Amino acid sequence: DRNIVTVATDACTIKGDLNQDCRVNLTDFSVLLFWYQQVTLSPEFLRVEREELSGDSKITIVDVSIMFTYWTG
């Protein structure tokens, strides 16, 4: 007798959501730390970095700042 709104996982557009679960939390931060200041990013993660973070093909403090701006906990 009630409408319940759901969000499809493929419709998530939250910046910083690295694992596409519609939240920016410790899991995403863990992924970010793994790649933080790495010399080379994998081709798969480069796509994620372009879509979800700064798009400069590297993980720096700028990307950390973007993630915390969109933090949902």
Side-chain angles (χ1 to χ4, degrees), residues 21-66:
D21 65 352
C22 298
R23 295 179 291 173
V24 181
N25 55 24
L26 192 57
T27 304
D28 301 292
F29 186 61
S30 176
V31 172
L32 185 84
L33 286 180
F34 176 82
W35 292 104
Y36 185 71
Q37 293 187 332
Q38 293 289 323
V39 175
T40 306
L41 302 180
S42 73
E44 296 84 13
F45 194 73
L46 276 172
R47 181 191 55 77
V48 172
E49 196 278 333
R50 281 191 303 271
E51 294 173 3
E52 303 297 336
L53 299 169
S54 67
D56 62 0
S57 300
K58 55 188 172 185
I59 302 299
T60 64
I61 194 70
V62 172
D63 301 299
V64 175
S65 177
I66 290 169

